[in-house]
């Protein structure tokens, strides 16, 4: 039974890569750069976007919201007058715990790609499977909340390794939690020595401008490389 | 492609139910009651167990730790001199984001079931897929941290519906976060009106004795029904 299951998964991942390349070709044609933003549930991805999107200067950004159900996050982003589409994995995709390239592809007609410089795909809250599926993105970023504990890079290394950027969020709670920020940063470095790390608080806004600059830099770098 | 994928998933779930029933028969023979404990990453399952296990009175408890990688949590539980086994989904199970009945079955020889009254299975940190796989348990409980936000029951309803008990953890952070506890409780009730809810702080220990009583009650109830 195991051999059969492994084969099916391998086939599915190959199909995913094919569709991810097709997405990427469409993104390139539209001149839009794409960031795949991942985290555990409740790490603060949407709050971070609410803070960072108005700080992007002249950059035209849109958001694709991935959730199992509902449109809570898309409604929050829409309130900023940012183009947004909601992609529910519970509707037609079996309640999947992650976005894959095919799901993202199905949602692209809902977004005005030609008018955007940057598309942020907010993945389903999950520290495991989203890291396994490329969606055609230029960069992968994750949010890790200090409320989750210092050990998460060691317990979910694939996610921490998959990302170019690790945002350490909720640093306003470091003192009240007695959180060992140095140990978290050491654990991130042990798993992914090349990762860029930003510490910030999306709730207070402290440090969010550095995330906004990273987003703008991703657009600039990808544009220069194209 | 979708039809094929749906069929494979259905087959896998049927096989899971068959193995879950076999696990359950083994648990019944050994006279051990089993709780499947689930949450998002970093919600505080292990800290809660560290606090609750010494408060179980004469109850003999063991723990099966589920993680993608490593034995950090099992090491923490072993320090309490509680029988514990570590089950890694990354070793032979494809890095799965949840435990299923077959994985649990593979670990049972590592635990002294005949000497236990209660086995707590700490699932992989994930608010989606663990809810879809029965493992032969008597009861399902989840931990939801206030640091994750008030909206999680609405975004991950399957998990909140699957559980008899919802533990709201980290209530010591309610004030500092400006967290709306009433709204969280309303959202839990909207998704699962029958759920028992305990608010506590595993970090400070406040309220943990009620979770310990719930565990003991699960053993008593299951014993009376057997």
């Amino acid at each position: 039974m195991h051999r059969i299951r492994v084969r099916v998964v391998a086939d599915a991942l190959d199909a995913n890569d094919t569709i991810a390349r097709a997405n990427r070709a469409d993104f390139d044609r539209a001149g839009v750069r794409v960031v795949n933003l991942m985290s555990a549930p409740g790490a603060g991805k949407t709050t971070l976007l609410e803070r960072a999107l108005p700080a992007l200067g002249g950059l035209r950004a849109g958001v694709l919201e991935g959730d199992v159900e509902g449109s809570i996050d898309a409604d929050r982003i829409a309130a900023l007058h940012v183009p947004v589409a909601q992609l529910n994995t519970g509707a037609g995709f079996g309640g999947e715990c992650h976005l894959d390239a095919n799901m993202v592809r199905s949602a692209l007609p809902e977004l005005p790609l030609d008018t955007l410089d940057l598309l942020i795909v907010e993945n389903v809250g999950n520290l495991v499977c989203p890291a396994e599926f490329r969606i055609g993105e230029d960069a992968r970023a994750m949010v890790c909340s200090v409320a989750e504990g210092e050990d998460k890079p060691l317990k979910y290394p694939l996610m921490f390794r998959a990302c170019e950027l690790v945002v350490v969020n909720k640093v306003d709670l470091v003192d009240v939690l007695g959180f060992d920020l140095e140990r978290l940063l050491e654990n991130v470095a042990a798993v992914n020595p090349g990762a860029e790390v930003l510490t910030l608080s999306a709730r207070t806004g402290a440090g969010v401008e550095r995330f906004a600059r990273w987003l703008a830099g991703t657009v600039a770098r990808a544009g220069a490389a194209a």
Side-chain angles (χ1 to χ4, degrees), chain A:
Chain A
M1 195 188 104
H2 268 140
R3 265 198 297 276
I4 292 173
R5 185 157 60 162
V6 168
R7 187 175 56 75
V8 170
V9 170
D11 286 353
L13 286 174
D14 287 349
N16 187 75
D17 285 346
T18 301
I19 301 170
R21 282 192 293 273
N23 289 350
R24 182 58 179 267
D26 287 357
F27 296 144
D28 285 346
R29 259 191 300 275
V32 60
R33 303 305 164 187
V34 178
V35 171
N36 185 357
L37 184 62
M38 301 177 277
S39 80
K45 296 187 294 302
T46 312
T47 303
L48 179 61
L49 292 182
E50 286 178 318
R51 289 278 191 174
L53 288 170
L56 288 177
L59 220 58
R60 299 165 301 173
V63 177
L64 176 57
E65 285 289 347
D67 282 294
V68 179
E69 286 195 24
S71 64
I72 294 173
D73 292 348
D75 295 342
R76 290 169 63 183
I77 298 299
L80 302 171
H81 305 291
V82 167
V84 60
Q86 178 76 50
L87 174 54
N88 285 138
T89 68
F93 297 110
E96 289 279 12
C97 61
H98 58 271
L99 298 183
D100 66 22
N102 193 44
M103 297 179 209
V104 168
R105 192 160 189 78
S106 75
L108 296 184
E110 309 301 319
L111 288 160
L113 292 186
D114 285 332
T115 72
L116 300 179
D117 304 306
L118 171 67
L119 174 66
I120 300 170
V121 180
E122 187 180 333
N123 218 307
V124 178
N126 182 347
L127 279 187
V128 185
C129 300
E132 298 175 31
F133 292 86
R134 302 301 304 229
I135 57 174
E137 69 277 67
D138 294 275
R140 299 200 276 186
M142 70 170 292
V143 181
C144 169
S145 150
V146 301
E148 296 163 15
E150 296 90 349
D151 59 354
K152 291 302 160 295
L154 306 179
K155 294 185 69 178
Y156 303 90
L158 183 62
M159 175 62 75
F160 282 81
R161 273 190 209 115
C163 292
E164 289 91 328
L165 174 72
V166 176
V167 173
V168 177
N169 190 21
K170 310 192 188 179
V171 293
D172 53 311
L173 298 179
V174 161
D175 287 344
V176 67
L177 289 172
F179 186 81
D180 190 340
L181 188 58
E182 278 308 307
R183 189 148 68 89
L184 174 66
L185 298 179
E186 285 167 14
N187 288 340
V188 172
V191 168
N192 184 355
E196 187 171 351
V197 180
L198 297 177
T199 60
L200 55 80
S201 169
R203 192 168 69 92
T204 69
V208 169
E209 73 286 352
R210 285 181 287 123
F211 178 64
R213 276 203 297 274
W214 182 86
L215 288 172
T218 297
V219 172
R221 278 190 299 277

